[in-house]
Amino acid sequence: MKLNANSMVILSTYAQGMQQWFEGSLGQYLLKEEQNYFDRVVVDIFGFHALQVGFPQFNFLRANRIPFQFRMGISKGASFYALPDFLPIDSCSLDLILLPHILEFNSNPHQILREVQRVLIPGGQVMISGFNPLSLWGLNRYFKSAKQEFPWCGQFISLPRLKDWLKLLNFEIVGGRLGCYVPPCSKDRWIKRFHFMEAAGDRWWPISGGVYFLQAVKQVHGMHIIKPCWENSLSARRKIASATQKFKGTVKNE
């Protein structure tokens, strides 16, 4: 899909607001948590082509050793410009796709997952990060003063709902975790003060993490053709059929 001038202006304005938020204390805290997760899980994934959809200014593929890596988006650092719900990529051509916070900021997240399913090879992997609506981060969206700001303007998708979508598209969940248990404070000193909640959250309330990570593999269920066992059938018939016996003996002349 081509981007016209008006679309580029709107998306650029959105990208600027997003960039400003990531430069703040809370954005830096989130960025550190996500970078650590992606660095840890992508290092052992191999193949030929990997794609990061969104946030091209941050290289979440930096620890991966796939030779051909691309970052798609609308801001600085993108390898090419495109919309995530219509990927200009051949079907069954990618080994790994990262979706960092793309689904909750798009009007048709299910279409994005369909595109991901289309362009991944059988056995290819997708890694998704998203904001958890069942957390303090999710509750912060309901404050009137924050509704129009990034990231609270997004439509947060619950983890069970996302898993259902992936299952319908023949993805198998193979990994994931939750993180960012610190309340969404804008001041760095408060983030540091509540940092003890990271270790406590994993142990005592793991479902309340502000961000979730999900790792899934594309499954392709091939058709197995059942052929008749003609050879076995013929062999069985040969065993059943009586063979012609040669008469041994003498014939008496009367």
Side-chain angles (χ1 to χ4, degrees), residues 79-134:
S79 304
F80 60 94
Y81 295 100
L83 294 178
D85 44 354
F86 292 99
L87 298 175
I89 300 172
D90 289 337
S91 300
C92 298
S93 60
L94 298 180
D95 301 276
L96 172 64
I97 297 180
L98 302 189
L99 299 178
H101 298 287
I102 293 302
L103 300 179
E104 60 256 67
F105 298 102
N106 189 280
S107 59
N108 196 354
H110 199 268
Q111 171 62 21
I112 296 177
L113 293 178
R114 281 195 293 264
E115 282 290 278
V116 169
Q117 197 273 347
R118 178 183 66 83
V119 301
L120 276 176
I121 65 170
Q125 298 195 42
V126 58
M127 297 185 181
I128 304 169
S129 66
F131 292 105
N132 181 16
L134 303 176

Side-chain angles (χ1 to χ4, degrees), residues 33-251:
E33 292 291 320
E34 302 217 347
Q35 190 72 69
N36 289 339
Y37 175 82
F38 285 122
D39 285 348
R40 187 172 65 256
V41 296
V42 303
V43 67
D44 294 325
I45 298 178
F46 303 96
F48 295 97
H49 301 93
L51 175 67
Q52 175 182 321
V53 180
F55 297 92
Q57 65 272 38
F58 310 121
N59 186 8
F60 294 125
L61 288 167
R62 68 183 186 183
N64 184 260
R65 288 170 281 182
I66 291 178
F68 301 102
Q69 300 181 2
F70 308 93
R71 282 176 280 169
M72 191 195 82
I74 55 168
S75 57
K76 185 178 179 181
S79 304
F80 60 94
Y81 295 100
L83 294 178
D85 44 354
F86 292 99
L87 298 175
I89 300 172
D90 289 337
S91 300
C92 298
S93 60
L94 298 180
D95 301 276
L96 172 64
I97 297 180
L98 302 189
L99 299 178
H101 298 287
I102 293 302
L103 300 179
E104 60 256 67
F105 298 102
N106 189 280
S107 59
N108 196 354
H110 199 268
Q111 171 62 21
I112 296 177
L113 293 178
R114 281 195 293 264
E115 282 290 278
V116 169
Q117 197 273 347
R118 178 183 66 83
V119 301
L120 276 176
I121 65 170
Q125 298 195 42
V126 58
M127 297 185 181
I128 304 169
S129 66
F131 292 105
N132 181 16
L134 303 176
S135 67
L136 294 176
W137 292 60
L139 291 175
N140 198 56
R141 294 175 55 242
Y142 297 99
F143 290 101
K144 293 182 179 180
S145 59
K147 279 187 177 181
Q148 303 303 321
E149 300 175 3
F150 181 90
W152 322 117
C153 59
Q155 298 297 319
F156 295 179
I157 301 170
S158 67
L159 194 54
R161 185 182 183 189
L162 180 57
K163 288 181 178 180
D164 287 340
W165 288 352
L166 291 171
K167 185 178 180 180
L168 289 173
L169 293 171
N170 292 324
F171 280 98
E172 179 186 359
I173 308 299
V174 296
R177 67 177 296 267
L178 284 95
C180 296
Y181 295 93
V182 172
C185 307
S186 58
K187 301 296 183 180
D188 187 61
R189 67 176 182 271
W190 287 106
I191 295 176
K192 293 179 179 179
R193 185 170 297 180
F194 285 106
H195 193 71
F196 73 93
M197 296 179 67
E198 289 295 338
D202 274 336
R203 182 174 182 181
W204 299 109
W205 51 84
I207 62 172
S208 63
V211 174
Y212 57 75
F213 302 94
L214 209 58
Q215 182 178 357
V217 176
K218 176 182 175 179
Q219 300 291 322
V220 176
H221 304 289
M223 180 174 60
H224 179 68
I225 300 177
I226 301 176
K227 296 181 180 180
C229 298
W230 299 112
E231 295 181 358
N232 295 337
S233 178
L234 291 174
S235 298
R237 289 183 181 181
R238 290 193 190 101
K239 293 179 180 178
I240 296 174
S242 60
T244 303
Q245 301 293 328
K246 185 178 180 180
F247 179 78
K248 293 182 180 180
T250 58
V251 178

